[in-house]
Amino acid sequence: MIRFYNGRVLEGSTITENEVWVEGDHISYVGPAKADAPAFDRQIDLKGDLLMPSFKNAHTHSGMTFLRSLADDLPLQEWLTQQIFPQEAKLNAERLGAFTKVAMLEYLANGITACFDMYYYTDEFTRIAADWGFRVVLCESLSAGDNWERVYTNYEKYNHMSPLISYQLGFHAEYTGSLDMFKFISQAAHDLKAPVWCHNSETASEVQGCVQRYGVTPTELFESCGLYDYGGGGFHCVWMTDDDLDIFARRGLYAVLNPCSNGKLASGVAPLRRMVDKGVKLAIGTDGPASNNALDFFREMYLVNILAKLEEKDAAAGDPALILDAATAGGARAMGLYNCDSIAAGRQADMIVIDLHRPNMQPVNNILKNLIYSGNPSNVRMTMVAGKVLYQDGEFFVGEEPEKIYAEAQRLTRELLAE
């Protein structure tokens, strides 16, 4: 059993001075110190620092680390067709495993304990995640030319593999799919009573193309196919009409915001105020390390807030408490990780410690606002997943040496690019 004491705890939007006890993979107690406390295997003195729910990266392509700072400075379609797709065609399980390890180290160092990953070679990815103790939700990425039947096999396989691994239905996007495929996925969603996810309305040209093909926006098309009958949501959601947002609100769908990727690709700014006004559920993702290029949730939270102010030309736009909730609890719920959304007895012990004794966090006037406006990954002192400390004070506890991981990823990147 592990005891966290002598610090601050973020419980919902309230900061307390409670203790938190962890037993096995879950939180067993949150409250004041007890005179009759049990014997602890380990006691962690927070020294006034903040224990909070971890960040949940609700949209990413982890294996894309090999393209970091190689596939840059192009709009989305050119970026995909000229830079991404040709290089991805050279991937294999060995390469993806090495590149994914780099991403997972970055997640842990940045306080991210789970990712909603849409990429290739999922057997290798899930093996590494389970070995390390990292939490992964796989998102299927069907396109028109794929074997669609695999979703049934994968749904059963990955949802029964490990407590740390789960799987949700999904497809890449409207422009890489077909009407027959959407109908097939809709049937699968009804058969499995499962939510569905995809890239949605990322660029203006994507929406315009869908309107030309079908006479409706992507969201309206998916709704007409019954894809949203069991929930889900969309990644990016930049070019959303009011009718689109009404569908999201009515269906309880999540809009996963990716401000850094959308800014770097000049795709646009998601309509945060309209989403909030209509009651759309929110989560945050980094997207992949080729379009971002960092896996940094502090930067994402900052940009969600700042870009909302710029978009509305209103300094009052954006709510730090709402944005922090989207980055933690919102992401967990979007990914189906309902037991990982908060610090409370019975919840999974997916938590991070934020170092408040650094210049960017001083003076301590408003901790929540400091996290959004001033925080950066250097403030992450510790990252715990399912009750296990996987990162603390610059050191990783994953059973492998980081320098060896970096060297292998560099070797395989050079090999791949030389082909």
Side-chain angles (χ1 to χ4, degrees):
M1 185 177 283
I2 301 174
R3 175 195 183 206
F4 291 91
Y5 70 100
N6 190 30
R8 300 170 169 96
V9 180
L10 180 60
E11 300 178 54
S13 59
T14 302
I15 294 177
T16 72
E17 295 184 358
N18 284 329
E19 292 193 356
V20 175
W21 303 350
V22 173
E23 187 172 0
D25 63 358
H26 67 279
I27 298 166
S28 59
Y29 174 76
V30 180
K34 288 186 175 183
D36 59 345
F40 295 99
D41 301 304
R42 181 179 181 185
Q43 300 195 52
I44 298 176
D45 184 352
L46 292 172
K47 300 179 180 178
D49 286 340
L50 177 70
L51 183 69
M52 63 173 280
S54 57
F55 301 125
K56 314 300 189 301
N57 193 341
H59 178 53
T60 190
H61 314 279
S62 299
M64 282 181 135
T65 51
F66 78 106
L67 289 166
R68 193 197 310 264
S69 300
L70 283 175
D72 294 322
D73 308 317
L74 288 171
L76 178 65
Q77 290 304 320
E78 292 178 51
W79 176 79
L80 282 171
T81 58
Q82 296 178 19
Q83 299 273 22
I84 303 302
F85 293 156
Q87 299 299 342
E88 286 182 333
K90 306 174 187 177
L91 292 173
N92 57 34
E94 178 192 17
R95 290 168 175 173
L96 254 297
F99 303 150
T100 296
K101 288 178 182 179
V102 174
M104 283 200 280
L105 291 178
E106 190 172 0
Y107 292 145
L108 292 171
N110 292 353
I112 298 166
T113 62
C115 69
F116 199 4
D117 204 78
M118 179 185 269
Y119 216 48
Y120 308 111
Y121 297 99
T122 46
D123 281 349
E124 184 66 8
F125 187 14
T126 52
R127 181 191 65 77
I128 295 166
D131 285 350
W132 282 21
F134 186 75
R135 201 178 297 279
V136 167
V137 182
L138 300 173
C139 184
E140 188 60 74
S141 181
L142 285 187
S143 294
D146 292 334
N147 172 19
W148 306 337
E149 293 287 345
R150 76 187 188 205
V151 302
Y152 288 98
T153 303
N154 287 346
Y155 190 89
E156 293 302 317
K157 176 181 179 180
Y158 293 114
N159 280 321
H160 297 91
M161 174 178 285
S162 161
L164 293 169
I165 310 299
S166 55
Y167 169 97
Q168 294 202 30
L169 298 180
F171 57 96
H172 178 257
E174 178 276 323
Y175 57 88
T176 53
S178 67
L179 193 57
D180 285 344
M181 187 187 82
F182 304 144
K183 291 177 179 177
F184 177 89
I185 298 169
S186 177
Q187 185 60 55
H190 285 80
D191 290 343
L192 299 167
K193 296 180 172 54
V196 177
W197 294 85
C198 71
H199 297 91
N200 188 340
S201 304
E202 184 175 356
T203 66
S205 61
E206 171 191 336
V207 176
Q208 290 164 2
C210 184
V211 171
Q212 289 171 359
R213 284 184 287 275
Y214 300 105
V216 292
T217 67
T219 299
E220 291 170 328
L221 175 65
F222 304 151
E223 170 74 352
S224 71
C225 292
L227 285 165
Y228 294 142
D229 288 356
Y230 290 92
F235 309 124
H236 301 288
C237 299
V238 174
W239 295 92
M240 303 285 279
T241 67
D242 283 341
D243 288 343
D244 293 339
L245 295 178
D246 287 339
I247 291 170
F248 265 58
R250 185 173 69 253
R251 290 292 192 181
L253 307 177
Y254 281 84
V256 180
L257 309 177
N258 314 108
C260 191
S261 174
N262 295 151
K264 182 168 176 281
L265 293 171
S267 299
V269 178
L272 180 64
R273 172 166 280 176
R274 286 195 290 131
M275 290 175 172
V276 172
D277 288 347
K278 287 181 176 289
V280 174
K281 296 179 180 180
L282 301 174
I284 296 174
T286 59
D287 207 349
S291 68
N292 189 314
N293 294 7
L295 303 173
D296 177 351
F297 248 55
F298 293 94
R299 187 164 74 170
E300 298 300 329
M301 293 189 297
Y302 179 83
L303 283 174
V304 168
N305 202 346
I306 296 302
L307 292 176
K309 298 177 187 299
L310 286 172
E311 184 78 357
E312 298 292 333
K313 298 180 176 58
D314 180 4
D319 178 351
L322 179 147
I323 291 165
L324 187 61
D325 183 75
T328 55
R333 294 166 189 159
M335 297 159 68
L337 302 175
Y338 301 107
N339 207 28
C340 306
D341 64 343
S342 62
I343 294 181
R347 293 291 201 264
Q348 284 285 291
D350 290 12
M351 306 182 294
I352 59 176
V353 175
I354 298 294
D355 188 348
L356 301 179
H357 295 87
R358 297 183 67 86
N360 65 323
M361 287 292 170
Q362 294 290 326
V364 182
N365 292 320
N366 187 311
I367 291 175
L368 296 187
K369 290 186 177 182
N370 268 7
L371 286 168
I372 301 299
Y373 292 121
S374 307
N376 64 59
S378 72
N379 294 114
V380 177
R381 201 179 113 192
M382 189 206 77
T383 302
M384 170 180 278
V385 185
K388 294 182 179 180
V389 175
L390 300 186
Y391 173 83
Q392 186 170 13
D393 297 325
E395 188 175 357
F396 296 95
F397 302 95
V398 296
E400 298 186 48
E401 290 297 321
E403 288 301 326
K404 291 183 179 179
I405 292 171
Y406 304 148
E408 180 67 358
Q410 187 69 68
R411 180 187 72 79
L412 290 170
T413 298
R414 287 173 177 160
E415 178 185 279
L416 181 150
L417 294 175
E419 291 179 356

